[in-house]
């Protein structure tokens, strides 16, 4: 699970590459306990099990990617990436827009981007300032964090 910029190159076939394997995406994996960005793997000390609800949030004002497990944004969850910090030597600066991204080799997932008001989020975002992805506007347009 993770986020990608508009420059991310989607792969439609099985290649072993996915979210976090390039400079344009950031991914987390609670099964393998790793996070991925720019083809670099780093430890990610969380454990996801079948039935867990994994929440993703991005704050484009603070340039953070946050992750929750079953609604808990506290450590070891919480900030998975500080987009202002150069990881792996990149010097591009934080992105203006991010899109939800997902890659996997097995399993079942269900996504809720907030597009259907009749289907509420099971858990709340880190603060009321966060908007569902389906309702988020670019920060430059005056919207809250997405």
């Amino acid at each position: 699970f993770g986020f990608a910029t508009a420059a991310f190159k989607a792969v439609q076939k099985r290649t072993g590459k996915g979210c976090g394997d390039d400079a344009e995406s950031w991914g987390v994996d609670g099964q393998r306990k790793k996070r991925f960005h720019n083809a670099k793997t780093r430890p990610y000390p969380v454990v996801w099990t079948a039935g867990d609800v994994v929440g993703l949030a991005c704050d484009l004002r603070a340039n953070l990617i946050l992750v929750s497990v079953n609604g808990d944004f506290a450590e070891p969850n919480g900030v998975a990436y500080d987009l202002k910090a150069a990881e792996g030597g990149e010097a591009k600066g934080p992105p203006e827009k991010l899109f939800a991204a997902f890659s996997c080799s097995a399993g079942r997932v269900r996504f809720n981007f907030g597009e259907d008001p009749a289907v509420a989020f099971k858990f709340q975002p880190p603060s009321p300032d966060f908007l569902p992805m389906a309702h988020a506007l670019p920060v430059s347009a005056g919207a809250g964090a997405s």
Side-chain angles (χ1 to χ4, degrees):
F1 296 99
F3 289 97
T5 70
F8 176 72
K9 302 289 186 231
V11 177
Q12 300 298 319
K13 58 186 178 185
R14 191 177 183 120
T15 64
K17 300 284 184 188
C19 185
D21 287 328
D22 67 2
E24 301 299 333
S25 62
W26 297 260
V28 293
D29 184 334
Q31 292 293 317
R32 294 185 286 172
K33 301 180 187 177
K34 297 185 184 297
R35 55 191 194 111
F36 305 89
H37 175 61
N38 206 11
K40 297 199 176 23
T41 304
R42 292 182 175 71
Y44 187 62
V46 300
V47 177
W48 300 347
T49 59
D52 280 347
V53 175
V54 177
L56 295 175
C58 64
D59 183 334
L60 294 178
R61 288 192 176 113
N63 294 299
L64 300 173
I65 292 176
L66 304 109
V67 179
S68 70
V69 177
N70 299 319
D72 186 2
F73 281 95
E75 292 285 336
N77 305 310
V79 176
Y81 290 99
D82 180 341
L83 301 174
K84 295 177 300 233
E87 289 193 36
E90 75 239 30
K92 289 175 53 169
E96 289 184 29
K97 297 178 185 177
L98 289 176
F99 302 89
F102 175 74
S103 54
C104 75
S105 59
R108 289 178 36 184
V109 297
R110 185 172 22 178
F111 298 96
N112 183 351
F113 297 113
E115 64 275 13
D116 184 351
V119 182
F121 288 135
K122 188 168 186 175
F123 299 103
Q124 296 302 308
S127 83
D129 295 336
F130 283 75
L131 299 172
M133 288 292 287
H135 302 177
L137 299 172
V139 170
S140 60
S146 58

